[in-house]
Amino acid sequence: MMKGMGNMQKMMKQMQKMQKDMQKAQEELAEKTVEGTAGGGMVTVVVNGQKQVIDVNIKEDVVDPEDIEMLQDLVLAATNDALKQMDDLTNNTMGQFTKGLNIPGLQ
């Protein structure tokens, strides 16, 4: 019976460590940025770890008053590229904590 208690305490310590590690990883992710591009770099969008767009850069050459729709498409594509990169970074970083665990909703 005492052996089971020792295992439980050990498991609780491991869970507490994992929780601290996850919190640290989330804090580090919040500070990271990724850059999405479109049109061969004509439009770039920078997104932070909280999925906030923090910068948009549009090269002058791509601005055509006769074709605003193309510019809108490039901004949209660059934004989606940046958001996907941040999702991938988040999944790769946080996925290490759920590997091998059979927890519904976390896989």
Side-chain angles (χ1 to χ4, degrees), residues 67-78:
D67 196 1
I68 296 298
E69 192 172 301
M70 180 190 68
L71 180 57
Q72 292 169 333
D73 289 345
L74 289 172
V75 171
L76 184 62

Side-chain angles (χ1 to χ4, degrees), residues 1-8:
M1 180 137 175
M2 292 303 256
K3 185 175 182 179
M5 293 297 282
N7 286 342
M8 182 64 99

Side-chain angles (χ1 to χ4, degrees), residues 78-106:
T79 302
N80 286 332
D81 182 38
L83 289 172
K84 181 179 181 329
Q85 288 183 51
M86 186 52 70
D87 280 344
D88 291 345
L89 180 61
T90 300
N91 289 337
N92 289 338
T93 301
M94 300 309 291
Q96 67 184 329
F97 297 106
T98 58
K99 281 183 189 168
L101 297 178
N102 189 13
I103 301 173
L106 290 180

